[in-house]
Amino acid sequence: MIYEGKQKIWADYQKEIPEDHYFYVRSCIRQSFFPASEVTFLDITRNKLGKDIFETEHHTTCGGIAYHSDAIPQETAMTIIARQFALMKKYGYENYVCSCITSFGLYCETMETWREYPELQEKIADNLWKSCHLEFAKPKFLVHASDLIFKYRNQIAAKSKYKLVNVKTGEPLRVVEHIGCHYSKMFPSKGVGGAEYPYVLVGMVEAWGGQIIDYPERRHCCGFGFRQYMIQSNRGYSLSNTHKKFESMEPFKPDMIITNCPGCPYFLDRWQYVIAETEGKTYGENGHGIPVFTYEEVAGLVMGYDPWDLGLQTHQVGVEPLLDKMGIPYDPAKKYLGKNGKNIGEPEKPHCLK
Amino acid sequence: MQDYRIKEGLNACINCGTCTAICPAAEFYRYDPRRIVDIVQHQDDAQIEELLKSDTIWYCGECLSCVTRCPRKNAAGLIIMALRSLSIQTGFFMESEKGRQMYLLCKDLNSNILNYGYCVYPRTFKYKEHQEAGVVWKWEEEHLDDIFERLGGNLDGEGAGAMRKIPQKDLDELKKIYDITGATQMLENVRAAGLKKAEELGLTEEEYAKKLYTESSNKHFNH
């Protein structure tokens, strides 16, 4: 009886993710700070797995960061979103995949509000026509790009060169997964596994050989807070929340962190640097930080991409301890080179963080 | 309040305080979302006006963690967002230090959106203002074109790709969306209010922006 009850609850969080044919929309933060992650996503899905993932240069920001910083009205954000959806229809797609969790949450909020208030949807459709002369449309399926990597996780595992396993001990790597609040906290049924037990990253880590760490502040926000980061004098909010998470995960000795949202890896990486430089505290082994990755970067490492092609040199927390554990070869001399070996200097060394 | 987020976010709050217990902002700031939801639920106009003029409504980080845990399926975060919109519409946002930050947020985020089509654009994300981005970002800032080229991006380039140049026709459409949905008017109002305040303080626009960006009273914090 109890088992059946659990199955029923779990059934609410099974997300239908079509196999193929998607209209792809990029993320402002992922493009800015992790451009190679989006390149890797498209290379894996299109070239390694043969999927049809279409992109047009005509899509823009969804406006999500401005909306959640209260800097544009809800109606403005909704009309920008309607424009994105209309472009999907114009190019002949009905499945929509976005690279950003803020966008994903805002799309869910918008579509749910339209469903409940058809008169608002009608107004937005009218706004869209008046401003852009585009026909209103909604996706048949809305997914986040990590949903697709989750769906393809076993195909990726089948093509893998490396596993999330410590090659020296043979033990699974200890992985912290961080989902990003707007993936499923607002609309649990829209995310793989819901809000309390999201499975989107756990599924990847398990398929690729790692072991998930559970820790008290696992579901706590990374601390972005939109306006709480954008304005320097509010930034203590952001730092404090990241600090709370690291203090909570530290006793469990994570080897790495995998993230879902494009903002979270930036904050979890950079605030470790700030904590190290200001307080002398580091959370990894021997003065290192805990390396933080996007899910595309982890998929790329597992599949044997060169770490520097994945852009791991643009992280502030060094990734080498993790590469060594996985047995991934890398050339330190090539870490900071530009295209075709161009010398573009290299970053200064942090004072405390190794 | 006609805001859809109030309709979506408030269904008979029982004042249990779960939202406050889970709230990252409530730990950092002197902030209690339970109290705010209670005031809105009681529809006490005087208390709501006080809220709209206060720093309190600007403490939320809009993570919406409160939504998941509320036993009544309320959304304190959505109610806060509606209050913030109303504070901006009524001009009450200028009464609080955190509210006045709207001048900078509107200016910076919307100039990125309307000029480039992105909320975040790496050429305007300056190390000088974001030293927490690390010495690696300092290096990236100095070599942005080379690094994007190395990583397969398309910074300011034609066609698709990471940080491509979004065609002017598309940016023009964004501007039209702003014009007909009230964003343009909102930005003008926020800017005018900010400039008026700067004049009152005897500051140039640049000095006022710097003050908003860097100064914070200690009264906001929980500890």
Side-chain angles (χ1 to χ4, degrees), chain B residues 7 26 29-31 51 71 104 129 139 143 147 154 156 179 185 199 203 213 222:
Chain B
K7 295 177 190 172
Y29 289 125
R30 294 184 182 181
Y31 176 62
L51 268 184
L104 262 190
E129 289 151 8
W139 170 71
H143 304 282
I147 289 167
N154 187 22
D156 298 329
D179 289 345
Q185 187 62 55
E199 195 180 344
L203 300 174
Y213 191 65
N222 223 350

Coordinates of all heavy atoms in Angstrom, one line a residue, chain B residues 7 26 29-31 51 71 104 129 139 143 147 154 156 179 185 199 203 213 222:
Chain B
K7 N -3.0 37.2 -7.3 CA -4.0 36.2 -7.5 C -3.4 34.8 -7.4 O -4.0 33.9 -6.8 CB -4.7 36.4 -8.8 CG -5.5 37.7 -8.9 CD -6.0 37.9 -10.4 CE -6.6 39.2 -10.6 NZ -6.9 39.5 -12.0
A26 N 15.6 36.0 5.0 CA 15.2 36.2 6.4 C 16.4 35.9 7.4 O 16.4 36.4 8.5 CB 14.0 35.3 6.7
Y29 N 18.8 39.4 6.3 CA 18.3 40.7 6.6 C 17.2 40.6 7.8 O 16.8 39.6 8.1 CB 17.5 41.2 5.4 CG 18.4 41.7 4.2 CD1 18.2 41.1 3.0 CD2 19.4 42.6 4.4 CE1 18.9 41.5 1.9 CE2 20.1 43.0 3.3 CZ 19.9 42.5 2.0 OH 20.7 42.9 1.0
R30 N 16.9 41.8 8.3 CA 15.8 41.9 9.3 C 14.5 41.8 8.5 O 13.8 42.8 8.2 CB 15.8 43.2 10.0 CG 17.1 43.2 10.9 CD 17.1 44.5 11.7 NE 18.3 44.5 12.5 CZ 18.7 45.5 13.4 NH1 17.9 46.5 13.6 NH2 19.8 45.4 14.0
Y31 N 14.1 40.6 8.2 CA 13.1 40.3 7.2 C 12.2 39.2 7.5 O 12.7 38.1 8.0 CB 13.8 40.1 5.8 CG 12.9 39.7 4.7 CD1 11.9 40.7 4.2 CD2 13.0 38.5 4.0 CE1 11.1 40.3 3.1 CE2 12.2 38.2 2.9 CZ 11.3 39.1 2.5 OH 10.5 38.8 1.5
L51 N 4.6 49.5 3.9 CA 5.4 48.5 3.3 C 6.1 49.0 2.0 O 7.2 48.8 1.7 CB 4.6 47.2 2.9 CG 4.5 46.1 3.9 CD1 3.8 44.9 3.3 CD2 5.9 45.6 4.3
P71 N 2.5 25.2 3.1 CA 1.4 24.2 3.1 C 0.1 24.6 2.4 O -0.7 23.8 2.2 CB 1.2 23.9 4.6 CG 1.7 25.2 5.3 CD 2.8 25.7 4.4
L104 N 19.6 52.2 -10.5 CA 20.7 51.6 -11.1 C 20.4 50.3 -11.8 O 20.9 50.0 -12.9 CB 21.7 51.2 -10.0 CG 22.9 52.1 -9.7 CD1 23.9 51.4 -8.8 CD2 23.7 52.4 -11.0
E129 N 34.2 46.7 -11.1 CA 32.9 46.7 -10.3 C 32.6 45.3 -9.8 O 31.6 45.1 -9.0 CB 31.8 47.2 -11.2 CG 31.9 48.7 -11.4 CD 31.2 49.1 -12.7 OE1 30.6 48.2 -13.4 OE2 31.4 50.2 -13.1
W139 N 41.7 38.7 -16.2 CA 42.4 38.2 -17.4 C 41.5 38.1 -18.6 O 41.8 38.5 -19.7 CB 43.1 36.9 -17.1 CG 43.7 36.2 -18.3 CD1 44.8 36.5 -19.0 CD2 43.2 34.9 -18.8 NE1 45.1 35.6 -19.9 CE2 44.1 34.6 -19.9 CE3 42.1 34.1 -18.6 CZ2 43.9 33.5 -20.7 CZ3 41.9 33.0 -19.3 CH2 42.8 32.6 -20.4
H143 N 41.2 40.0 -22.5 CA 41.4 39.2 -23.7 C 40.1 38.5 -24.2 O 40.0 37.4 -24.7 CB 42.4 38.0 -23.4 CG 43.7 38.5 -22.9 ND1 44.7 39.1 -23.8 CD2 44.2 38.6 -21.7 CE1 45.7 39.4 -23.0 NE2 45.5 39.1 -21.8
I147 N 39.5 34.9 -26.0 CA 39.0 33.8 -25.2 C 37.7 33.2 -25.8 O 37.5 32.0 -25.9 CB 38.8 34.2 -23.7 CG1 40.2 34.4 -23.1 CG2 38.0 33.2 -22.9 CD1 40.3 35.1 -21.8
N154 N 31.0 33.3 -30.2 CA 30.9 34.2 -31.4 C 30.6 35.6 -30.9 O 29.6 36.2 -31.3 CB 29.7 33.6 -32.3 CG 29.6 34.4 -33.6 OD1 30.5 35.0 -34.1 ND2 28.4 34.3 -34.2
D156 N 30.0 39.1 -30.5 CA 29.6 40.2 -31.4 C 29.7 39.8 -32.9 O 29.8 40.7 -33.8 CB 30.5 41.4 -31.2 CG 30.4 42.0 -29.8 OD1 29.3 41.9 -29.2 OD2 31.4 42.5 -29.2
D179 N 7.9 49.7 -25.4 CA 7.0 50.8 -25.6 C 5.6 50.5 -25.3 O 4.9 51.2 -24.6 CB 7.1 51.4 -27.0 CG 8.5 52.1 -27.2 OD1 9.2 52.3 -26.2 OD2 8.8 52.3 -28.4
Q185 N 8.0 53.6 -20.2 CA 7.4 54.6 -19.3 C 8.0 54.4 -17.9 O 8.4 55.4 -17.2 CB 5.9 54.6 -19.3 CG 5.2 55.7 -18.5 CD 5.6 57.1 -19.1 OE1 5.3 57.3 -20.3 NE2 6.1 58.0 -18.3
E199 N 19.8 65.5 -7.6 CA 19.9 67.0 -7.5 C 19.6 67.5 -6.1 O 20.3 68.4 -5.6 CB 18.8 67.6 -8.4 CG 19.0 69.0 -8.8 CD 17.9 69.6 -9.7 OE1 17.2 68.7 -10.3 OE2 17.7 70.8 -9.8
L203 N 24.4 66.0 -6.0 CA 25.3 65.0 -6.6 C 25.1 65.0 -8.1 O 24.0 65.2 -8.6 CB 25.1 63.6 -6.1 CG 25.3 63.4 -4.6 CD1 24.9 62.0 -4.2 CD2 26.7 63.7 -4.1
Y213 N 25.4 52.3 -5.6 CA 26.1 51.0 -5.9 C 26.9 50.5 -4.7 O 27.0 49.3 -4.4 CB 27.0 51.2 -7.1 CG 27.6 49.9 -7.6 CD1 26.8 48.9 -8.2 CD2 29.0 49.6 -7.6 CE1 27.3 47.7 -8.7 CE2 29.5 48.4 -8.1 CZ 28.7 47.5 -8.6 OH 29.2 46.3 -9.1
N222 N 20.6 41.3 10.0 CA 20.0 40.5 11.1 C 21.0 40.4 12.2 O 20.6 40.3 13.4 CB 19.7 39.1 10.6 CG 18.3 38.6 11.1 OD1 17.8 39.2 11.9 ND2 17.9 37.5 10.5

